[in-house]
Amino acid sequence: MALLPILRFPDPRLHKRAASVHKVDETIRKLIVDMAETMYEAPGIGLAATQVDVHKRVIVIDISEDKSKLLAFINPEILERAGEQICEEGCLSVPGIYEKVTRSERVKVRALDPQGEPFTLEADGLLAVCVQHEIDHLEGRVFVEHLSQLKQSRIKARLSKQARITA
Ligand code: NI
């Protein structure tokens, strides 16, 4: 297992679109294990491969209190969406920033599991938010990009100030 460094907004590598996984092999399974460890250590409730500079369509999520319900999605696709919800989101790539984002209330997702088997999952509430947030990362989109330009430039200014302080 290994902890992976997490890219920070506005790193341009966060805007790369991730490629589909053609073969679910040991490399992908190792990536999932490392991503899960990195997510738990951060701590966070979701992580996309894009955030660790691996541009493959892989995400991990665990919204349980006791880190006991790891979900891994390879090549996730949203098949159906319904309703609307507004949730305050944060992101391991945008530390210290929490903003309200409007997303679908329910989603039906299809993906492959770590054995390469297809599955579908119906999610609502926080899990639905997480799935949408992480799939956005695979498209090269960070949650703050759902906000106004003004808010985005304020966030960029705040993060570059933080980077100078911690550098
Ligand atoms: Ni994120």
Side-chain angles (χ1 to χ4, degrees):
M1 293 204 289
L3 288 178
L4 306 168
I6 298 176
L7 299 179
R8 296 232 174 146
F9 183 78
D11 191 310
R13 290 171 290 180
L14 287 169
H15 296 128
K16 285 194 196 175
R17 189 172 184 274
S20 295
V21 173
H22 294 297
K23 192 170 163 235
V24 181
D25 56 12
E26 280 312 312
T27 313
I28 296 296
R29 282 187 280 273
K30 167 135 191 354
L31 173 65
I32 288 169
V33 168
D34 289 345
M35 282 173 60
E37 194 191 3
T38 304
M39 172 182 76
Y40 288 134
E41 172 70 23
I45 57 172
L47 189 69
T50 306
Q51 292 176 274
V52 293
D53 203 20
V54 176
H55 300 280
K56 293 179 185 169
R57 302 186 81 81
V58 176
I59 65 180
V60 293
I61 291 175
D62 189 343
I63 60 164
S64 70
E65 296 261 324
D66 59 354
K67 304 177 177 180
S68 65
K69 292 196 173 62
L70 180 66
L71 297 168
F73 302 78
I74 300 160
N75 298 342
E77 266 180 281
I78 295 179
L79 300 178
E80 286 168 31
R81 39 173 95 237
E84 203 176 274
Q85 61 176 327
I86 299 172
C87 182
E88 189 164 79
E89 296 185 24
C91 179
L92 295 176
S93 294
V94 197
I97 306 287
Y98 299 89
E99 294 283 349
K100 287 185 173 122
V101 178
T102 305
R103 299 205 187 257
S104 302
E105 163 62 22
R106 288 180 299 282
V107 291
K108 184 174 176 184
V109 198
R110 177 171 61 200
L112 300 176
D113 71 13
Q115 276 66 52
E117 295 299 322
F119 69 96
T120 59
L121 178 87
E122 286 183 39
D124 61 10
L126 179 60
L127 184 56
V129 169
C130 258
V131 166
Q132 294 170 82
H133 176 120
E134 302 311 331
I135 291 177
D136 266 5
H137 276 303
L138 302 181
E139 295 300 327
R141 211 178 306 127
V142 179
F143 85 100
V144 294
E145 288 156 353
H146 287 275
L147 308 172
S148 68
Q149 285 301 328
L150 177 64
K151 270 195 172 168
Q152 285 187 49
S153 42
R154 280 185 186 153
I155 290 167
K156 277 181 197 163
R158 225 169 106 186
L159 289 175
S160 61
K161 205 165 146 195
Q162 272 177 18
R164 279 200 299 275
I165 291 165
T166 53

